Amino acid sequence: MEETKIKSPISYFVSCPRCGHKLCKGEEGSHVIIKCPNCSVHVRIKINENTYAHIMTLDEIEAERNKPRICYINPDFQNK
C-alpha cells in the first residue's frame, strides 16, 4: 500500500511592530486587523509570501470601518 503524506500549512507568528508583543498565529492567505493589547495600536496583518504587519493610521481605520461588506450566501442552503 502506498503511503501519502499530507502537507500541512506553515503557521506564522506575528508581533506588533511597535512593542514586539506577539499578536497572532496565522497561515498563508490570512488578512486581519488587530488592536495590540499591549500598546493599543491597530495593526493590519497580511500573511503571504511577503508577510508584513503595518501600524494603521486613524484615517485607514475609519476607511476600513466604512467599507461595504460582502456576504456570500449558499443558494443550496435550506431552513429545515
Side-chain angles (χ1 to χ4, degrees):
M1 181 174 254
E2 190 175 313
E3 188 175 315
T4 58
K5 291 185 178 180
I6 298 172
K7 185 179 178 183
S8 61
I10 298 173
S11 293
Y12 298 90
F13 289 96
V14 183
S15 300
C16 175
R18 179 177 284 169
C19 69
H21 183 77
K22 185 167 68 172
L23 296 174
C24 68
K25 177 182 175 182
E27 298 173 354
E28 189 166 329
S30 300
H31 180 197
V32 295
I33 297 172
I34 296 177
K35 182 177 180 181
C36 178
N38 199 34
C39 67
S40 299
V41 298
H42 286 83
V43 180
R44 177 189 303 268
I45 298 168
K46 273 190 179 178
I47 300 177
N48 53 26
E49 63 275 351
N50 303 317
T51 299
Y52 74 89
H54 164 71
I55 296 175
M56 296 177 69
T57 64
L58 292 176
D59 292 336
E60 289 173 324
I61 294 167
E62 193 59 35
E64 196 67 35
R65 285 187 186 140
N66 294 330
K67 271 188 183 175
R69 304 294 178 207
I70 299 172
C71 295
Y72 295 97
I73 299 172
N74 183 352
D76 298 330
F77 178 77
Q78 296 177 358
N79 262 340
K80 293 185 180 184

